[in-house]
């Protein structure tokens, strides 16, 4: 692997991530990174480190990301886009992931109350002229932007 300054990675080590999945840790030499003027813009503190998935998973991930750029995918995803934001808001603000009640009837009632509360929050935001926030770019995308 080559960094934006043309230095080559010094080690590729098989490891496990926090969820015990196979990963590969790629590190660059401290002797290259320590004197580098672009270290503050790079990944890692003392030297560039990257965590990659095994090759077959990485290729599947890249293929999926490439598929995300197609018009067909965007057409499908457009149907989901609104509900993703709604689920996220309900999870963050109202603990939607866990039911506070036992039994389907009470849980359903809680879901209806949550949906109503979200509608009220959105009406309130709309009245105050608040715009929906944009999705943050991932750290990996930022690293690619730096490399380009
Ligand atoms: S700090 Fe980043 S850009 Fe600089 S030599 Fe190391 S890997 Fe390359």
């Amino acid at each position: 692997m080559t960094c934006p300054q043309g230095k080559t990675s010094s080690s590729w080590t098989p490891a496990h991530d926090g969820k015990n999945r196979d990963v590969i840790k790629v590190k660059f030499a401290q002797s290259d990174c320590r004197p580098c003027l672009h270290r503050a813009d790079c990944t890692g503190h003392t030297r560039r480190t990257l965590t990659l998935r095994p090759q077959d998973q990485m290729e599947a991930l890249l293929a999926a990301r490439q598929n995300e750029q197609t018009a067909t995918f965007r057409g499908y995803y457009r149907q989901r886009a609104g509900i993703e934001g709604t689920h996220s808001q309900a999870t963050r603000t109202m603990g939607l992931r866990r039911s506070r009640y036992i039994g389907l009837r009470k849980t359903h009632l809680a879901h209806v109350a949550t949906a109503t509360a979200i509608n009220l929050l959105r009406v309130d935001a709309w009245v105050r002229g608040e715009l929906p926030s944009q999705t943050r770019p991932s750290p990996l995308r930022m690293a690619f932007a730096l490399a380009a």
Side-chain angles (χ1 to χ4, degrees), residues 3-5 7 28 32-33 36 38-39 42 48:
C3 80
Q5 293 303 304
K7 304 294 182 186
F28 284 73
D32 287 331
C33 295
C36 178
H38 300 278
R39 199 176 72 197
C42 209
R48 186 182 183 99

Side-chain angles (χ1 to χ4, degrees), residues 2-8 28-49:
T2 306
C3 80
Q5 293 303 304
K7 304 294 182 186
T8 308
F28 284 73
Q30 290 202 15
S31 56
D32 287 331
C33 295
R34 205 173 287 140
C36 178
L37 299 175
H38 300 278
R39 199 176 72 197
D41 302 325
C42 209
T43 63
H45 294 293
T46 56
R47 61 179 169 167
R48 186 182 183 99
T49 56

